[in-house]
Amino acid sequence: MFVVIVQLQVRPDRLETFLDGIRANARATRGEPGCLRFDVLRGDDDPHRFVLYEIYRDEAAFFTEHRAAPHYAAWRQVAEACVTEHRNTFCHPVSLQGQAT
């Protein structure tokens, strides 16, 4: 599995446009065969801060399949128009099952 965590700060004057775009992106991404999970989280302390939490089958499902999907280009346009800060974290999950904590 491959995990993508995206932290976004959205311009207050573009919030509604962003929300429309992220809803469309979430619906399309959740329908991708390589996407196992796609969640959108909104900050309690800052209503313009969002975190996208995505799990893909593997790196190719994200970097090749997801980024080639038509909805990704539309999402990029929304993000460029609405987002002031953007940070990606890419990682592979680590199982702690059976290990002492």
PDB file of all heavy atoms in Angstrom, residues 8-41:
ATOM      1  N   LEU A   8      -3.502  21.264   3.059  1.00  0.00           N
ATOM      2  CA  LEU A   8      -3.859  22.402   2.215  1.00  0.00           C
ATOM      3  C   LEU A   8      -4.391  23.558   3.046  1.00  0.00           C
ATOM      4  O   LEU A   8      -5.189  23.351   3.968  1.00  0.00           O
ATOM      5  CB  LEU A   8      -4.946  21.998   1.218  1.00  0.00           C
ATOM      6  CG  LEU A   8      -4.643  20.824   0.297  1.00  0.00           C
ATOM      7  CD1 LEU A   8      -5.911  20.345  -0.375  1.00  0.00           C
ATOM      8  CD2 LEU A   8      -3.619  21.232  -0.726  1.00  0.00           C
ATOM      9  N   GLN A   9      -3.979  24.756   2.696  1.00  0.00           N
ATOM     10  CA  GLN A   9      -4.566  25.967   3.265  1.00  0.00           C
ATOM     11  C   GLN A   9      -5.296  26.662   2.123  1.00  0.00           C
ATOM     12  O   GLN A   9      -4.695  26.954   1.084  1.00  0.00           O
ATOM     13  CB  GLN A   9      -3.489  26.885   3.843  1.00  0.00           C
ATOM     14  CG  GLN A   9      -4.021  28.114   4.532  1.00  0.00           C
ATOM     15  CD  GLN A   9      -4.751  27.810   5.824  1.00  0.00           C
ATOM     16  OE1 GLN A   9      -4.369  26.918   6.573  1.00  0.00           O
ATOM     17  NE2 GLN A   9      -5.821  28.532   6.084  1.00  0.00           N
ATOM     18  N   VAL A  10      -6.585  26.910   2.312  1.00  0.00           N
ATOM     19  CA  VAL A  10      -7.432  27.444   1.249  1.00  0.00           C
ATOM     20  C   VAL A  10      -7.697  28.931   1.477  1.00  0.00           C
ATOM     21  O   VAL A  10      -7.936  29.368   2.606  1.00  0.00           O
ATOM     22  CB  VAL A  10      -8.768  26.663   1.200  1.00  0.00           C
ATOM     23  CG1 VAL A  10      -9.703  27.230   0.161  1.00  0.00           C
ATOM     24  CG2 VAL A  10      -8.499  25.189   0.935  1.00  0.00           C
ATOM     25  N   ARG A  11      -7.659  29.694   0.388  1.00  0.00           N
ATOM     26  CA  ARG A  11      -7.994  31.113   0.453  1.00  0.00           C
ATOM     27  C   ARG A  11      -9.446  31.271   0.910  1.00  0.00           C
ATOM     28  O   ARG A  11     -10.337  30.643   0.334  1.00  0.00           O
ATOM     29  CB  ARG A  11      -7.831  31.763  -0.920  1.00  0.00           C
ATOM     30  CG  ARG A  11      -6.413  31.858  -1.391  1.00  0.00           C
ATOM     31  CD  ARG A  11      -6.284  32.411  -2.779  1.00  0.00           C
ATOM     32  NE  ARG A  11      -7.312  33.398  -3.133  1.00  0.00           N
ATOM     33  CZ  ARG A  11      -7.498  33.865  -4.354  1.00  0.00           C
ATOM     34  NH1 ARG A  11      -6.761  33.437  -5.355  1.00  0.00           N
ATOM     35  NH2 ARG A  11      -8.435  34.757  -4.600  1.00  0.00           N
ATOM     36  N   PRO A  12      -9.713  32.097   1.915  1.00  0.00           N
ATOM     37  CA  PRO A  12     -11.081  32.267   2.400  1.00  0.00           C
ATOM     38  C   PRO A  12     -12.071  32.673   1.308  1.00  0.00           C
ATOM     39  O   PRO A  12     -13.206  32.196   1.287  1.00  0.00           O
ATOM     40  CB  PRO A  12     -10.953  33.362   3.462  1.00  0.00           C
ATOM     41  CG  PRO A  12      -9.548  33.231   3.957  1.00  0.00           C
ATOM     42  CD  PRO A  12      -8.748  32.834   2.735  1.00  0.00           C
ATOM     43  N   ASP A  13     -11.650  33.513   0.375  1.00  0.00           N
ATOM     44  CA  ASP A  13     -12.555  33.976  -0.673  1.00  0.00           C
ATOM     45  C   ASP A  13     -12.799  32.916  -1.756  1.00  0.00           C
ATOM     46  O   ASP A  13     -13.640  33.109  -2.624  1.00  0.00           O
ATOM     47  CB  ASP A  13     -12.022  35.261  -1.309  1.00  0.00           C
ATOM     48  CG  ASP A  13     -10.676  35.065  -1.985  1.00  0.00           C
ATOM     49  OD1 ASP A  13      -9.818  34.366  -1.417  1.00  0.00           O
ATOM     50  OD2 ASP A  13     -10.470  35.634  -3.073  1.00  0.00           O
ATOM     51  N   ARG A  14     -12.096  31.806  -1.710  1.00  0.00           N
ATOM     52  CA  ARG A  14     -12.245  30.744  -2.707  1.00  0.00           C
ATOM     53  C   ARG A  14     -12.754  29.445  -2.082  1.00  0.00           C
ATOM     54  O   ARG A  14     -12.720  28.389  -2.712  1.00  0.00           O
ATOM     55  CB  ARG A  14     -10.896  30.478  -3.385  1.00  0.00           C
ATOM     56  CG  ARG A  14     -10.268  31.666  -4.076  1.00  0.00           C
ATOM     57  CD  ARG A  14     -11.031  32.141  -5.257  1.00  0.00           C
ATOM     58  NE  ARG A  14     -11.033  31.055  -6.240  1.00  0.00           N
ATOM     59  CZ  ARG A  14     -11.573  31.114  -7.430  1.00  0.00           C
ATOM     60  NH1 ARG A  14     -12.150  32.205  -7.822  1.00  0.00           N
ATOM     61  NH2 ARG A  14     -11.538  30.098  -8.244  1.00  0.00           N
ATOM     62  N   LEU A  15     -13.242  29.520  -0.840  1.00  0.00           N
ATOM     63  CA  LEU A  15     -13.641  28.316  -0.112  1.00  0.00           C
ATOM     64  C   LEU A  15     -14.729  27.526  -0.834  1.00  0.00           C
ATOM     65  O   LEU A  15     -14.629  26.307  -0.967  1.00  0.00           O
ATOM     66  CB  LEU A  15     -14.083  28.665   1.313  1.00  0.00           C
ATOM     67  CG  LEU A  15     -14.439  27.474   2.191  1.00  0.00           C
ATOM     68  CD1 LEU A  15     -13.255  26.529   2.338  1.00  0.00           C
ATOM     69  CD2 LEU A  15     -14.914  27.947   3.549  1.00  0.00           C
ATOM     70  N   GLU A  16     -15.768  28.171  -1.305  1.00  0.00           N
ATOM     71  CA  GLU A  16     -16.870  27.449  -1.963  1.00  0.00           C
ATOM     72  C   GLU A  16     -16.408  26.772  -3.249  1.00  0.00           C
ATOM     73  O   GLU A  16     -16.792  25.636  -3.538  1.00  0.00           O
ATOM     74  CB  GLU A  16     -18.057  28.381  -2.216  1.00  0.00           C
ATOM     75  CG  GLU A  16     -18.788  28.789  -0.952  1.00  0.00           C
ATOM     76  CD  GLU A  16     -19.237  27.604  -0.088  1.00  0.00           C
ATOM     77  OE1 GLU A  16     -19.792  26.634  -0.642  1.00  0.00           O
ATOM     78  OE2 GLU A  16     -19.015  27.655   1.136  1.00  0.00           O
ATOM     79  N   THR A  17     -15.571  27.454  -4.009  1.00  0.00           N
ATOM     80  CA  THR A  17     -15.020  26.854  -5.234  1.00  0.00           C
ATOM     81  C   THR A  17     -14.182  25.635  -4.881  1.00  0.00           C
ATOM     82  O   THR A  17     -14.266  24.585  -5.533  1.00  0.00           O
ATOM     83  CB  THR A  17     -14.159  27.883  -5.999  1.00  0.00           C
ATOM     84  OG1 THR A  17     -14.986  28.997  -6.335  1.00  0.00           O
ATOM     85  CG2 THR A  17     -13.557  27.284  -7.251  1.00  0.00           C
ATOM     86  N   PHE A  18     -13.368  25.761  -3.829  1.00  0.00           N
ATOM     87  CA  PHE A  18     -12.549  24.641  -3.375  1.00  0.00           C
ATOM     88  C   PHE A  18     -13.424  23.458  -2.960  1.00  0.00           C
ATOM     89  O   PHE A  18     -13.168  22.315  -3.346  1.00  0.00           O
ATOM     90  CB  PHE A  18     -11.655  25.066  -2.203  1.00  0.00           C
ATOM     91  CG  PHE A  18     -10.916  23.919  -1.587  1.00  0.00           C
ATOM     92  CD1 PHE A  18      -9.741  23.452  -2.162  1.00  0.00           C
ATOM     93  CD2 PHE A  18     -11.400  23.299  -0.453  1.00  0.00           C
ATOM     94  CE1 PHE A  18      -9.063  22.373  -1.605  1.00  0.00           C
ATOM     95  CE2 PHE A  18     -10.735  22.228   0.115  1.00  0.00           C
ATOM     96  CZ  PHE A  18      -9.558  21.764  -0.468  1.00  0.00           C
ATOM     97  N   LEU A  19     -14.456  23.726  -2.158  1.00  0.00           N
ATOM     98  CA  LEU A  19     -15.332  22.647  -1.681  1.00  0.00           C
ATOM     99  C   LEU A  19     -16.008  21.922  -2.845  1.00  0.00           C
ATOM    100  O   LEU A  19     -16.097  20.686  -2.842  1.00  0.00           O
ATOM    101  CB  LEU A  19     -16.365  23.190  -0.694  1.00  0.00           C
ATOM    102  CG  LEU A  19     -15.798  23.639   0.650  1.00  0.00           C
ATOM    103  CD1 LEU A  19     -16.891  24.334   1.460  1.00  0.00           C
ATOM    104  CD2 LEU A  19     -15.197  22.477   1.415  1.00  0.00           C
ATOM    105  N   ASP A  20     -16.476  22.658  -3.836  1.00  0.00           N
ATOM    106  CA  ASP A  20     -17.063  22.023  -5.021  1.00  0.00           C
ATOM    107  C   ASP A  20     -16.035  21.142  -5.725  1.00  0.00           C
ATOM    108  O   ASP A  20     -16.321  20.014  -6.119  1.00  0.00           O
ATOM    109  CB  ASP A  20     -17.593  23.074  -5.998  1.00  0.00           C
ATOM    110  CG  ASP A  20     -18.830  23.796  -5.492  1.00  0.00           C
ATOM    111  OD1 ASP A  20     -19.483  23.290  -4.547  1.00  0.00           O
ATOM    112  OD2 ASP A  20     -19.133  24.877  -6.038  1.00  0.00           O
ATOM    113  N   GLY A  21     -14.819  21.662  -5.870  1.00  0.00           N
ATOM    114  CA  GLY A  21     -13.762  20.910  -6.544  1.00  0.00           C
ATOM    115  C   GLY A  21     -13.320  19.684  -5.784  1.00  0.00           C
ATOM    116  O   GLY A  21     -13.100  18.622  -6.365  1.00  0.00           O
ATOM    117  N   ILE A  22     -13.210  19.798  -4.468  1.00  0.00           N
ATOM    118  CA  ILE A  22     -12.748  18.648  -3.675  1.00  0.00           C
ATOM    119  C   ILE A  22     -13.822  17.570  -3.623  1.00  0.00           C
ATOM    120  O   ILE A  22     -13.516  16.378  -3.610  1.00  0.00           O
ATOM    121  CB  ILE A  22     -12.270  19.081  -2.268  1.00  0.00           C
ATOM    122  CG1 ILE A  22     -11.412  17.965  -1.644  1.00  0.00           C
ATOM    123  CG2 ILE A  22     -13.406  19.406  -1.343  1.00  0.00           C
ATOM    124  CD1 ILE A  22     -10.125  17.713  -2.343  1.00  0.00           C
ATOM    125  N   ARG A  23     -15.091  17.960  -3.613  1.00  0.00           N
ATOM    126  CA  ARG A  23     -16.168  16.953  -3.655  1.00  0.00           C
ATOM    127  C   ARG A  23     -16.115  16.164  -4.962  1.00  0.00           C
ATOM    128  O   ARG A  23     -16.229  14.935  -4.962  1.00  0.00           O
ATOM    129  CB  ARG A  23     -17.528  17.624  -3.504  1.00  0.00           C
ATOM    130  CG  ARG A  23     -17.834  18.084  -2.105  1.00  0.00           C
ATOM    131  CD  ARG A  23     -19.244  18.688  -2.013  1.00  0.00           C
ATOM    132  NE  ARG A  23     -19.391  19.388  -0.764  1.00  0.00           N
ATOM    133  CZ  ARG A  23     -19.500  20.715  -0.647  1.00  0.00           C
ATOM    134  NH1 ARG A  23     -19.498  21.492  -1.715  1.00  0.00           N
ATOM    135  NH2 ARG A  23     -19.618  21.270   0.537  1.00  0.00           N
ATOM    136  N   ALA A  24     -15.956  16.861  -6.068  1.00  0.00           N
ATOM    137  CA  ALA A  24     -15.872  16.193  -7.368  1.00  0.00           C
ATOM    138  C   ALA A  24     -14.648  15.288  -7.425  1.00  0.00           C
ATOM    139  O   ALA A  24     -14.718  14.143  -7.906  1.00  0.00           O
ATOM    140  CB  ALA A  24     -15.825  17.221  -8.495  1.00  0.00           C
ATOM    141  N   ASN A  25     -13.525  15.767  -6.922  1.00  0.00           N
ATOM    142  CA  ASN A  25     -12.300  14.970  -6.918  1.00  0.00           C
ATOM    143  C   ASN A  25     -12.457  13.726  -6.031  1.00  0.00           C
ATOM    144  O   ASN A  25     -12.032  12.634  -6.403  1.00  0.00           O
ATOM    145  CB  ASN A  25     -11.123  15.815  -6.441  1.00  0.00           C
ATOM    146  CG  ASN A  25      -9.818  15.084  -6.550  1.00  0.00           C
ATOM    147  OD1 ASN A  25      -9.442  14.604  -7.614  1.00  0.00           O
ATOM    148  ND2 ASN A  25      -9.109  14.989  -5.454  1.00  0.00           N
ATOM    149  N   ALA A  26     -13.062  13.892  -4.879  1.00  0.00           N
ATOM    150  CA  ALA A  26     -13.252  12.761  -3.971  1.00  0.00           C
ATOM    151  C   ALA A  26     -14.137  11.690  -4.600  1.00  0.00           C
ATOM    152  O   ALA A  26     -13.828  10.494  -4.530  1.00  0.00           O
ATOM    153  CB  ALA A  26     -13.850  13.238  -2.646  1.00  0.00           C
ATOM    154  N   ARG A  27     -15.241  12.103  -5.217  1.00  0.00           N
ATOM    155  CA  ARG A  27     -16.130  11.119  -5.868  1.00  0.00           C
ATOM    156  C   ARG A  27     -15.380  10.350  -6.956  1.00  0.00           C
ATOM    157  O   ARG A  27     -15.467   9.128  -7.037  1.00  0.00           O
ATOM    158  CB  ARG A  27     -17.346  11.823  -6.478  1.00  0.00           C
ATOM    159  CG  ARG A  27     -18.422  12.175  -5.481  1.00  0.00           C
ATOM    160  CD  ARG A  27     -19.703  12.642  -6.180  1.00  0.00           C
ATOM    161  NE  ARG A  27     -19.506  13.803  -7.054  1.00  0.00           N
ATOM    162  CZ  ARG A  27     -19.539  15.066  -6.646  1.00  0.00           C
ATOM    163  NH1 ARG A  27     -19.766  15.358  -5.392  1.00  0.00           N
ATOM    164  NH2 ARG A  27     -19.373  16.052  -7.508  1.00  0.00           N
ATOM    165  N   ALA A  28     -14.640  11.058  -7.785  1.00  0.00           N
ATOM    166  CA  ALA A  28     -13.923  10.411  -8.888  1.00  0.00           C
ATOM    167  C   ALA A  28     -12.799   9.521  -8.376  1.00  0.00           C
ATOM    168  O   ALA A  28     -12.614   8.395  -8.857  1.00  0.00           O
ATOM    169  CB  ALA A  28     -13.370  11.461  -9.836  1.00  0.00           C
ATOM    170  N   THR A  29     -12.052  10.004  -7.381  1.00  0.00           N
ATOM    171  CA  THR A  29     -10.919   9.238  -6.863  1.00  0.00           C
ATOM    172  C   THR A  29     -11.395   7.969  -6.176  1.00  0.00           C
ATOM    173  O   THR A  29     -10.797   6.902  -6.345  1.00  0.00           O
ATOM    174  CB  THR A  29     -10.083  10.095  -5.898  1.00  0.00           C
ATOM    175  OG1 THR A  29      -9.598  11.235  -6.616  1.00  0.00           O
ATOM    176  CG2 THR A  29      -8.901   9.322  -5.358  1.00  0.00           C
ATOM    177  N   ARG A  30     -12.464   8.054  -5.416  1.00  0.00           N
ATOM    178  CA  ARG A  30     -12.980   6.861  -4.726  1.00  0.00           C
ATOM    179  C   ARG A  30     -13.423   5.791  -5.712  1.00  0.00           C
ATOM    180  O   ARG A  30     -13.490   4.622  -5.363  1.00  0.00           O
ATOM    181  CB  ARG A  30     -14.123   7.248  -3.801  1.00  0.00           C
ATOM    182  CG  ARG A  30     -13.654   7.997  -2.581  1.00  0.00           C
ATOM    183  CD  ARG A  30     -14.805   8.313  -1.632  1.00  0.00           C
ATOM    184  NE  ARG A  30     -14.339   9.106  -0.515  1.00  0.00           N
ATOM    185  CZ  ARG A  30     -14.883  10.239  -0.113  1.00  0.00           C
ATOM    186  NH1 ARG A  30     -15.922  10.741  -0.754  1.00  0.00           N
ATOM    187  NH2 ARG A  30     -14.399  10.885   0.920  1.00  0.00           N
ATOM    188  N   GLY A  31     -13.700   6.163  -6.947  1.00  0.00           N
ATOM    189  CA  GLY A  31     -14.100   5.189  -7.960  1.00  0.00           C
ATOM    190  C   GLY A  31     -12.937   4.565  -8.712  1.00  0.00           C
ATOM    191  O   GLY A  31     -13.134   3.654  -9.512  1.00  0.00           O
ATOM    192  N   GLU A  32     -11.724   5.029  -8.460  1.00  0.00           N
ATOM    193  CA  GLU A  32     -10.558   4.467  -9.141  1.00  0.00           C
ATOM    194  C   GLU A  32     -10.243   3.076  -8.589  1.00  0.00           C
ATOM    195  O   GLU A  32     -10.229   2.887  -7.374  1.00  0.00           O
ATOM    196  CB  GLU A  32      -9.328   5.361  -8.939  1.00  0.00           C
ATOM    197  CG  GLU A  32      -9.381   6.665  -9.656  1.00  0.00           C
ATOM    198  CD  GLU A  32      -8.152   7.523  -9.365  1.00  0.00           C
ATOM    199  OE1 GLU A  32      -7.152   7.015  -8.830  1.00  0.00           O
ATOM    200  OE2 GLU A  32      -8.213   8.719  -9.687  1.00  0.00           O
ATOM    201  N   PRO A  33      -9.941   2.109  -9.463  1.00  0.00           N
ATOM    202  CA  PRO A  33      -9.628   0.757  -8.995  1.00  0.00           C
ATOM    203  C   PRO A  33      -8.437   0.696  -8.039  1.00  0.00           C
ATOM    204  O   PRO A  33      -8.422  -0.109  -7.122  1.00  0.00           O
ATOM    205  CB  PRO A  33      -9.324  -0.010 -10.284  1.00  0.00           C
ATOM    206  CG  PRO A  33      -9.952   0.779 -11.366  1.00  0.00           C
ATOM    207  CD  PRO A  33      -9.956   2.207 -10.917  1.00  0.00           C
ATOM    208  N   GLY A  34      -7.438   1.554  -8.213  1.00  0.00           N
ATOM    209  CA  GLY A  34      -6.249   1.517  -7.361  1.00  0.00           C
ATOM    210  C   GLY A  34      -6.359   2.298  -6.074  1.00  0.00           C
ATOM    211  O   GLY A  34      -5.479   2.243  -5.221  1.00  0.00           O
ATOM    212  N   CYS A  35      -7.456   3.034  -5.906  1.00  0.00           N
ATOM    213  CA  CYS A  35      -7.650   3.838  -4.695  1.00  0.00           C
ATOM    214  C   CYS A  35      -8.397   3.016  -3.651  1.00  0.00           C
ATOM    215  O   CYS A  35      -9.522   2.580  -3.882  1.00  0.00           O
ATOM    216  CB  CYS A  35      -8.417   5.117  -5.003  1.00  0.00           C
ATOM    217  SG  CYS A  35      -8.641   6.171  -3.556  1.00  0.00           S
ATOM    218  N   LEU A  36      -7.773   2.820  -2.498  1.00  0.00           N
ATOM    219  CA  LEU A  36      -8.390   2.048  -1.419  1.00  0.00           C
ATOM    220  C   LEU A  36      -9.119   2.936  -0.416  1.00  0.00           C
ATOM    221  O   LEU A  36     -10.027   2.472   0.272  1.00  0.00           O
ATOM    222  CB  LEU A  36      -7.324   1.219  -0.698  1.00  0.00           C
ATOM    223  CG  LEU A  36      -6.480   0.316  -1.601  1.00  0.00           C
ATOM    224  CD1 LEU A  36      -5.398  -0.377  -0.791  1.00  0.00           C
ATOM    225  CD2 LEU A  36      -7.366  -0.702  -2.312  1.00  0.00           C
ATOM    226  N   ARG A  37      -8.692   4.200  -0.318  1.00  0.00           N
ATOM    227  CA  ARG A  37      -9.331   5.120   0.628  1.00  0.00           C
ATOM    228  C   ARG A  37      -9.025   6.554   0.219  1.00  0.00           C
ATOM    229  O   ARG A  37      -7.915   6.861  -0.201  1.00  0.00           O
ATOM    230  CB  ARG A  37      -8.812   4.852   2.034  1.00  0.00           C
ATOM    231  CG  ARG A  37      -9.441   5.722   3.082  1.00  0.00           C
ATOM    232  CD  ARG A  37      -8.974   5.336   4.465  1.00  0.00           C
ATOM    233  NE  ARG A  37      -9.796   6.036   5.411  1.00  0.00           N
ATOM    234  CZ  ARG A  37     -10.357   5.502   6.466  1.00  0.00           C
ATOM    235  NH1 ARG A  37     -10.168   4.238   6.711  1.00  0.00           N
ATOM    236  NH2 ARG A  37     -11.088   6.217   7.278  1.00  0.00           N
ATOM    237  N   PHE A  38     -10.009   7.431   0.370  1.00  0.00           N
ATOM    238  CA  PHE A  38      -9.817   8.856   0.104  1.00  0.00           C
ATOM    239  C   PHE A  38     -10.702   9.619   1.083  1.00  0.00           C
ATOM    240  O   PHE A  38     -11.918   9.585   0.969  1.00  0.00           O
ATOM    241  CB  PHE A  38     -10.194   9.196  -1.341  1.00  0.00           C
ATOM    242  CG  PHE A  38      -9.853  10.615  -1.729  1.00  0.00           C
ATOM    243  CD1 PHE A  38      -8.665  10.890  -2.385  1.00  0.00           C
ATOM    244  CD2 PHE A  38     -10.709  11.664  -1.432  1.00  0.00           C
ATOM    245  CE1 PHE A  38      -8.341  12.192  -2.750  1.00  0.00           C
ATOM    246  CE2 PHE A  38     -10.392  12.972  -1.782  1.00  0.00           C
ATOM    247  CZ  PHE A  38      -9.203  13.228  -2.442  1.00  0.00           C
ATOM    248  N   ASP A  39     -10.086  10.269   2.057  1.00  0.00           N
ATOM    249  CA  ASP A  39     -10.829  11.036   3.050  1.00  0.00           C
ATOM    250  C   ASP A  39     -10.405  12.494   2.991  1.00  0.00           C
ATOM    251  O   ASP A  39      -9.243  12.808   2.733  1.00  0.00           O
ATOM    252  CB  ASP A  39     -10.558  10.508   4.463  1.00  0.00           C
ATOM    253  CG  ASP A  39     -11.119   9.125   4.684  1.00  0.00           C
ATOM    254  OD1 ASP A  39     -12.234   8.851   4.195  1.00  0.00           O
ATOM    255  OD2 ASP A  39     -10.453   8.309   5.333  1.00  0.00           O
ATOM    256  N   VAL A  40     -11.348  13.374   3.253  1.00  0.00           N
ATOM    257  CA  VAL A  40     -11.088  14.801   3.338  1.00  0.00           C
ATOM    258  C   VAL A  40     -11.406  15.226   4.763  1.00  0.00           C
ATOM    259  O   VAL A  40     -12.522  15.027   5.243  1.00  0.00           O
ATOM    260  CB  VAL A  40     -11.956  15.594   2.331  1.00  0.00           C
ATOM    261  CG1 VAL A  40     -11.669  17.083   2.458  1.00  0.00           C
ATOM    262  CG2 VAL A  40     -11.728  15.101   0.916  1.00  0.00           C
ATOM    263  N   LEU A  41     -10.418  15.800   5.436  1.00  0.00           N
ATOM    264  CA  LEU A  41     -10.573  16.241   6.818  1.00  0.00           C
ATOM    265  C   LEU A  41     -10.440  17.758   6.859  1.00  0.00           C
ATOM    266  O   LEU A  41      -9.597  18.332   6.170  1.00  0.00           O
ATOM    267  CB  LEU A  41      -9.496  15.599   7.703  1.00  0.00           C
ATOM    268  CG  LEU A  41      -9.366  14.079   7.567  1.00  0.00           C
ATOM    269  CD1 LEU A  41      -8.083  13.592   8.207  1.00  0.00           C
ATOM    270  CD2 LEU A  41     -10.572  13.398   8.153  1.00  0.00           C
TER     271      LEU A  41
END
